[in-house]
Amino acid sequence: DSGVTQTPKHLITATGQRVTLRCSPRSGDLSVYWYQQSLDQGLQFLIQYYNGEERAKGNILERFSAQQFPDLHSELNLSSLELGDSALYFCASSVQGANAGELFFGEGSRLTVL
Amino acid sequence: GDSVTQMEGPVTLSEEAFLTINCTYTATGYPSLFWYVQYPGEGLQLLLKATKADDKGSNKGFEATYRKETTSFHLEKGSVQVSDSAVYFCALTSNTGGFKTIFGAGTRLFVKA
């Protein structure tokens, strides 16, 4: 158990819909990362937050947005969903400082868009 | 920008065979390097890491050495087991732009009994 909790584990929805994925980081971790894992594109970095502020941005579509709340949990919002958005979405957390870069992953949220 | 390239899989080995999974990287500055492992149905977990040139990371019989001159971080294990069957990801973290971690595409390993 990594200590990172993601909900829901599975989600099935239709094209054009909007969903929210939730992540609770490990206790004490200030950084949260979101990754998308699809069969043909490996693990793609979406976005990083540190203590409530956006810190780094990767290949995140404009239809997607995220935020980190004062209690440090994070949400990833996916809107106007397309078939190609079907993937496994991982959240990870980390500390800063000496162990920077060592990520702890949740079990993922599997999104299926029909 | 920063990138990680690792050998394509799947790699299929018999139990007790020697394993090498190649990984090379491109990065500005001095990144930290990692290997993560993903078992079926689970999230990624850290396998080993190295934070500076010539460092060797090791864990569970796996090893990798940070080679700056060849920009490589190849994963090796002397004798694989069926339980090592998983997907292995090479990754780097640089401190440019907020400790962003970049992953390779992953290499799936099958170990046959």
Side-chain angles (χ1 to χ4, degrees):
Chain A
D1 182 2
S2 67
V4 177
T5 303
Q6 289 187 247
T7 57
K9 291 195 184 318
H10 301 277
L11 191 54
I12 301 174
T13 189
T15 55
Q17 296 299 304
R18 171 189 171 96
V19 299
T20 298
L21 309 180
R22 181 188 168 99
C23 170
S24 295
R26 286 190 326 155
S27 177
D29 285 356
L30 299 181
S31 284
V32 169
Y33 308 73
W34 286 98
Y35 288 86
Q36 179 191 57
Q37 184 179 37
S38 52
L39 280 176
D40 59 347
Q41 292 191 10
L43 204 63
Q44 299 292 321
F45 168 70
L46 297 178
I47 198 163
Q48 178 205 1
Y49 282 84
Y50 175 76
N51 203 21
E53 293 188 5
E54 182 182 306
R55 182 60 67 92
K57 210 169 207 180
N59 301 320
I60 187 166
L61 300 172
E62 286 191 10
R63 300 184 285 107
F64 296 0
S65 64
Q67 55 183 326
Q68 185 179 28
F69 294 85
D71 66 353
L72 301 178
H73 92 272
S74 178
E75 292 182 357
L76 179 66
N77 300 296
L78 315 175
S79 61
S80 301
L81 285 169
E82 301 175 358
L83 296 178
D85 298 327
S86 296
L88 198 50
Y89 291 85
F90 283 108
C91 170
S93 70
S94 77
V95 299
Q96 296 297 100
N99 288 324
E102 181 174 341
L103 303 183
F104 295 85
F105 282 80
E107 294 186 354
S109 293
R110 182 171 296 281
L111 172 66
T112 302
V113 182
L114 301 176
Chain B
D2 297 349
S3 66
V4 175
T5 302
Q6 59 183 105
M7 63 188 287
E8 290 189 19
V11 174
T12 302
L13 296 173
S14 297
E15 209 165 21
E16 298 183 2
F18 184 86
L19 169 71
T20 300
I21 300 178
N22 291 337
C23 171
T24 57
Y25 67 91
T26 302
T28 54
Y30 302 94
S32 295
L33 302 176
F34 303 82
W35 277 101
Y36 286 81
V37 59
Q38 184 180 27
Y39 297 104
E42 299 183 11
L44 282 73
Q45 55 186 275
L46 180 68
L47 180 59
L48 53 83
K49 69 177 181 181
T51 57
K52 61 183 188 296
D54 299 325
D55 268 2
K56 177 186 282 189
S58 61
N59 185 26
K60 300 181 182 179
F62 291 89
E63 293 183 340
T65 301
Y66 190 143
R67 302 282 189 205
K68 195 172 189 312
E69 64 276 13
T70 55
T71 61
S72 65
F73 193 55
H74 304 321
L75 182 68
E76 296 182 337
K77 186 174 185 183
S79 176
V80 293
Q81 305 299 313
V82 172
S83 57
D84 294 327
S85 298
V87 181
Y88 293 82
F89 292 89
C90 185
L92 69 82
T93 297
S94 67
N95 58 6
T96 54
F99 294 101
K100 184 167 57 178
T101 299
I102 305 296
F103 287 83
T107 301
R108 185 175 295 277
L109 170 66
F110 292 104
V111 180
K112 303 180 297 184

